Amino acid sequence: MEYLVATEQVEEMFGTFYHETFKNGGYCDFDIEYLDAAAAVRVITEAGGLAVLAHPGQQQNLELVPELVGYGLKGIELEHRKNTEADKEAIRQMAVQYGLFLTGGSDYHGTLEDGSSELGSCLATENALRIIFNNNSDK
């Protein structure tokens, strides 16, 4: 949409074209189908990646951690704009219990998202980075 507006193919970002194409039964109006969390962790791990549970405060999904650890979960996102202090404490406890590293993440989706955090505003701690690189040193 940003390209279409910049090249003057449409007049506005969220105008008629957007609503007729991406909403209200338009030809690009469809839901994204996601893998289930266990399958996603398994695929990431098999590909040599380090799977991280994202947005646990926003999604309130820390109960998934014990199962996901069994599939190879290695980390949990701690620094996220929607994680409350209570969420962060629960995340830290879960990380200690299961030996998981903690990450940052602004959840930046671009300049057009209403209320988005600034890119780089929720950084991982140096300790988390050290754990990540030590876990990946043999790759």
Side-chain angles (χ1 to χ4, degrees):
M1 287 302 304
E2 191 170 359
Y3 174 80
L4 294 175
V5 172
T7 58
E8 299 179 352
Q9 296 180 59
V10 297
E11 289 183 24
E12 57 186 330
M13 187 68 63
F14 299 111
T16 303
F17 176 80
Y18 174 82
H19 288 285
E20 289 176 355
T21 305
F22 298 103
K23 302 291 181 191
N24 306 310
Y27 61 88
C28 291
D29 181 9
F30 53 86
D31 288 331
I32 298 171
E33 293 183 30
Y34 294 99
L35 285 176
D36 94 350
V41 169
R42 191 176 62 250
V43 169
I44 291 166
T45 301
E46 288 172 0
L50 299 174
V52 173
L53 181 64
H55 319 331
Q58 180 181 18
Q59 301 298 324
Q60 293 297 303
N61 58 5
L62 282 175
E63 76 279 353
L64 296 175
V65 170
E67 176 189 1
L68 297 180
V69 165
Y71 290 101
L73 184 72
K74 297 295 183 198
I76 306 175
E77 182 181 34
L78 174 68
E79 297 299 334
H80 182 278
R81 64 188 171 101
K82 294 197 176 172
N83 284 350
T84 66
E85 286 306 314
D87 293 330
K88 289 180 180 184
E89 182 57 31
I91 291 164
R92 286 184 190 98
Q93 289 176 7
M94 195 70 74
V96 168
Q97 183 177 352
Y98 292 98
L100 304 171
F101 62 82
L102 300 170
T103 72
S106 64
D107 199 18
Y108 183 75
H109 286 254
T111 59
L112 302 174
E113 182 182 39
D114 190 28
S116 70
S117 297
E118 291 295 319
L119 183 61
S121 64
C122 298
L123 301 176
T125 65
E126 183 178 325
N127 185 46
L129 296 173
R130 190 176 306 114
I131 292 167
I132 293 167
F133 288 114
N134 286 342
N135 283 342
N136 251 352
S137 64
D138 60 332
K139 295 181 172 114

